Amino acid sequence: MPSETLQAIVLRVANYRDRDRMLTLLTPDKGRVDVLSRGCRRPKSCLMAASENFVQGEFVVFRNQDRYALTSCNVSEAFYPVRLDAYRMTCGAYMLQLAQAAAHPGQEAEALYELLTDSLHHLCYNEDENPLMIVNVFLLLFAADNGYRPRLNHCVYCQKEISPAQGAYFDIIEGGICCRGCAKGALMRLSAKQLQWMRDVLVDGFDTPAIDDDKTLFEVLRRYVESRLETTIKSSKFLP
């Protein structure tokens, strides 16, 4: 059985049998990989520290056909401070679950891996940043990286250019903003500040200054992203 070294982040852990765990890893080059961590739940197991959510490092695995078993791990980052705050941990768990839903086995996921790493660093080490705004940035960049960047400059119906000062309505199904004249149905209203913030994030990422309307933004972006993934992320019910 050949061994491989995977640069990865643990997205999910599930207890298996009496002493084992199944780990779901996100890797830049192989996408999502499921790995068996044998004996990691023993008190003195050398794999215990690596078999937890949020852990990032170099995972050495043995491969037998399509099955992987963990043999060792050089942990580079555990994102431990996230675990000390229940709300930040919920925000982090939500991002992990989104990454798990988007990643596929055998498909390159470098952009997603880098985005998740950057987001967890902000969540973990930038205590002055609003954790929900970090999630909002993640959601918007996540959508762009996964091929459904929302249209934020022109009305999705009449193609009329919309000034940020006017604000707009966001159409989840059409994937973008629409003007007042074309708005119909239960659309979500975006203020001028919210619309400009979304445009700025797509250019400046985490360097974009935060705004106060974080809960409305989260609801818009959450519904949009989860609709494109065709799934509901369970931890979102604990946010915002």
Side-chain angles (χ1 to χ4, degrees):
M1 295 185 294
S3 64
E4 299 182 30
T5 300
L6 306 176
Q7 183 70 32
I9 298 175
V10 180
L11 300 180
R12 179 177 180 270
V13 302
N15 290 340
Y16 179 67
R17 295 178 177 170
D18 292 334
R19 300 172 182 263
D20 307 337
R21 276 182 177 167
M22 291 298 301
L23 312 180
T24 300
L25 307 180
L26 176 66
T27 70
D29 51 348
K30 294 181 180 294
R32 194 178 73 231
V33 178
D34 293 323
V35 174
L36 175 62
S37 180
R38 287 195 180 96
C40 67
R41 294 162 64 196
R42 292 180 180 140
K44 296 183 179 181
S45 172
C46 62
L47 300 179
M48 181 184 296
S51 303
E52 299 284 351
N53 285 337
F54 299 108
V55 171
Q56 182 179 38
E58 293 183 340
F59 292 75
V60 180
V61 299
F62 272 118
R63 180 177 181 179
N64 182 10
Q65 296 181 347
D66 292 330
R67 297 181 179 180
Y68 293 87
L70 182 64
T71 59
S72 66
C73 178
N74 180 17
V75 176
S76 59
E77 179 61 75
F79 296 107
Y80 184 75
V82 169
R83 308 165 199 269
L84 303 178
D85 183 292
Y87 188 74
R88 285 181 182 268
M89 189 167 73
T90 302
C91 290
Y94 181 65
M95 294 191 290
L96 294 186
Q97 291 167 19
L98 282 172
Q100 181 182 352
H104 298 281
Q107 294 186 10
E108 178 270 335
E110 185 173 356
L112 177 57
Y113 183 85
E114 291 180 356
L115 174 60
L116 182 59
T117 299
D118 289 346
S119 301
L120 291 177
H121 272 283
H122 279 269
L123 192 63
C124 190
Y125 299 115
N126 292 39
E127 295 183 358
D128 57 332
E129 290 188 43
N130 181 344
L132 190 61
M133 288 304 293
I134 295 172
V135 175
N136 288 340
V137 175
F138 176 86
L139 282 165
L140 191 49
L141 297 180
F142 177 92
D145 288 344
N146 282 280
Y148 37 91
R149 178 188 181 116
R151 289 171 285 177
L152 300 176
N153 294 306
H154 298 80
C155 175
V156 294
Y157 291 102
C158 68
Q159 306 305 314
K160 176 184 176 181
E161 185 174 359
I162 298 178
S163 167
Q166 299 174 294
Y169 293 87
F170 194 88
D171 191 311
I172 300 292
I173 296 175
E174 295 298 324
I177 59 173
C178 60
C179 63
R180 186 187 301 272
C182 295
K184 42 189 164 181
L187 303 183
M188 305 191 75
R189 174 70 178 171
L190 292 174
S191 68
K193 286 185 178 181
Q194 290 170 333
L195 179 55
Q196 185 61 58
W197 180 88
M198 292 174 72
R199 291 182 180 181
D200 291 343
V201 167
L202 290 175
V203 176
D204 299 324
F206 285 103
D207 292 332
T208 307
I211 59 175
D212 293 332
D213 304 322
D214 54 346
K215 295 181 180 180
T216 302
L217 279 169
F218 173 75
E219 190 60 23
V220 170
L221 293 170
R222 179 196 68 80
R223 289 179 55 186
Y224 176 60
V225 167
E226 292 184 11
S227 72
R228 292 305 186 266
L229 291 174
E230 298 182 343
T231 190
T232 298
I233 305 300
K234 293 181 179 180
S235 60
S236 66
K237 68 181 180 180
F238 300 110
L239 298 173

